[in-house]
Amino acid sequence: MASQTNENRVSKIALLGLMIAVAFVLSWLEVQVSFVLPVPGMKLGLTNLAVIIALYMLGWKEAFFINMVRILLVSVTFGSMFSLIYSLAGGILSTVVMILLKRYTRLSITVISAFGGVTHNIGQIITAMILLETKQIGYYFAVLWLTGVITGTVIGILGGEVVKHIPKQYFLKKSLTKPKR
Amino acid sequence: MSDKKKSIVIISALVLIGVVFLVVMNLLKQKGTTVIVRIDGTEQGQYQLDQDQVVDIIAGEGAKNKLRIENGQAQMIEADCPDQICVNHSSISHVGESIICLPHKVVVEIAAGADSADTMGGIDGIAN
């Protein structure tokens, strides 16, 4: 029994490290491609893939933790103080929304990810509104809303496929179930 | 309703909300009245959008742009820069829209004629 819990602990640490690494690489990829996107602040939301997989495989605390560590690492490595604030606003809002939706609704992983995409962009744009007081932000709002839905949906479908193909024995807790799609 | 159908409905609804936002934002866009030309941040001139004309913008030796104002819209029609991004930019007419020629540091921006409004306020202030 004791070795069982120990094994769990070790596999948890290993999985957390793995997911943080995945999230970090996805963030790097995101930074590399973001300059070709027409709207400032537009994101592919690739990182959300790691968060949504973590949410289903590891649990909500772990998903939140992974995202926070990822944001701090990325801001220190590629970003600035500003990008840290934006990322935190978008990241915290979207992760909390996804956690709540997963816990209290029976929505599919695709829909939850779509909501995550939208709320991520909304969080960033509200922060931009407060920080910059830009007039034209309304126009961005609509564009970012739409891209959030689309990228979130795509990420949700991808994440759903990944989680579906990971054997249940690698899920961290017994209570975690395969997502509905 | 199956789970898959439900998902499609919810995501479609989210897309629809986004499209409605987009349409509303486009309807709320304010037509501008003034074209402001800046080179490297300093203002070079203001032109009225309702007066058709072609403005030559000389940003320096071998750095020339031609701006055409026609039918209440401003468009860059010529630039002797290699990338031609500003020439390919669609015409602008709404407040806040801009055409930027990076190699020449030329910025063409549409304003609501806020300057004249300020002057009016100033005059009123004096009159009071």
Side-chain angles (χ1 to χ4, degrees):
Chain A
M1 197 65 199
S3 73
Q4 178 69 36
T5 22
N6 209 15
E7 200 175 294
N8 267 345
R9 256 176 56 96
V10 173
S11 66
K12 179 177 176 174
I13 291 167
L15 271 173
L16 280 178
L18 182 72
M19 295 305 282
I20 289 169
V22 169
F24 187 65
V25 170
L26 288 174
S27 286
W28 174 81
L29 204 64
E30 177 107 52
V31 173
Q32 298 308 304
V33 296
S34 61
F35 66 91
V36 298
L37 300 172
V39 180
M42 198 167 165
K43 286 264 169 73
L44 293 179
L46 288 174
T47 346
N48 209 27
L49 190 55
V51 178
I52 195 106
I53 292 172
L55 187 57
Y56 280 88
M57 263 185 80
L58 310 180
W60 68 270
K61 281 184 214 138
E62 289 77 5
F64 193 81
F65 173 74
I66 287 167
N67 206 15
M68 290 305 109
V69 174
R70 190 268 309 176
I71 288 167
L72 287 176
L73 278 176
V74 169
S75 294
V76 169
T77 324
F78 314 117
S80 59
M81 197 58 207
F82 262 119
S83 66
L84 176 66
I85 296 171
Y86 286 127
S87 302
L88 275 179
I92 292 175
L93 186 64
S94 70
T95 312
V96 167
V97 166
M98 289 194 295
I99 288 168
L100 292 178
L101 285 177
K102 180 174 180 289
R103 202 180 169 92
Y104 296 110
T105 72
R106 304 181 64 192
L107 294 170
S108 69
I109 186 169
T110 315
V111 172
I112 290 178
S113 174
F115 272 103
V118 173
T119 46
H120 181 269
N121 286 354
I122 299 304
Q124 291 208 328
I125 206 157
I126 289 171
T127 318
M129 268 168 145
I130 295 165
L131 291 179
L132 303 174
E133 296 170 27
T134 315
K135 292 174 209 159
Q136 262 202 310
I137 223 118
Y139 181 68
Y140 287 153
F141 186 87
V143 176
L144 290 180
W145 176 288
L146 277 174
T147 54
V149 176
I150 293 160
T151 58
T153 304
V154 174
I155 294 295
I157 294 169
L158 278 175
E161 284 303 316
V162 172
V163 178
K164 194 179 87 180
H165 286 95
I166 293 175
K168 185 82 205 266
Q169 72 209 63
Y170 296 113
F171 283 37
L172 205 57
K173 295 186 194 99
K174 291 281 179 301
S175 60
L176 291 167
T177 49
K178 290 270 187 181
K180 306 205 314 175
R181 294 186 313 128
Chain B
M1 209 171 358
S2 75
D3 282 335
K4 196 165 183 183
K5 251 189 186 163
K6 212 161 113 189
S7 302
I8 293 170
V9 169
I10 295 172
I11 289 168
S12 309
L14 283 176
V15 170
L16 198 70
I17 293 169
V19 172
V20 169
F21 271 134
L22 204 61
V23 171
V24 169
M25 291 308 169
N26 272 308
L27 290 177
L28 289 180
K29 267 189 182 174
Q30 213 185 338
K31 277 271 175 191
T33 57
T34 320
V35 183
I36 300 172
V37 176
R38 288 196 190 87
I39 300 174
D40 205 4
T42 44
E43 192 172 314
Q44 299 294 311
Q46 290 194 8
Y47 309 91
Q48 293 306 304
L49 257 184
D50 52 7
Q51 292 168 2
D52 291 359
Q53 57 182 313
V54 174
V55 181
D56 285 324
I57 305 165
I58 316 285
E61 193 73 10
K64 203 174 130 183
N65 297 54
K66 254 195 181 126
L67 180 76
R68 184 174 63 200
I69 300 171
E70 203 175 62
N71 302 324
Q73 298 195 317
Q75 191 178 14
M76 204 72 95
I77 51 170
E78 247 183 74
D80 51 5
C81 61
D83 60 13
Q84 300 291 307
I85 286 172
C86 56
V87 180
N88 293 325
H89 197 287
S90 51
S91 50
I92 55 173
S93 59
H94 297 104
V95 175
E97 285 180 334
S98 60
I99 300 176
I100 297 167
C101 174
L102 268 184
H104 298 169
K105 293 180 181 167
V106 171
V107 178
V108 177
E109 205 185 320
I110 306 287
D115 285 14
S116 56
D118 282 349
T119 323
M120 293 292 281
I123 291 167
D124 276 352
I126 293 164
N128 286 336

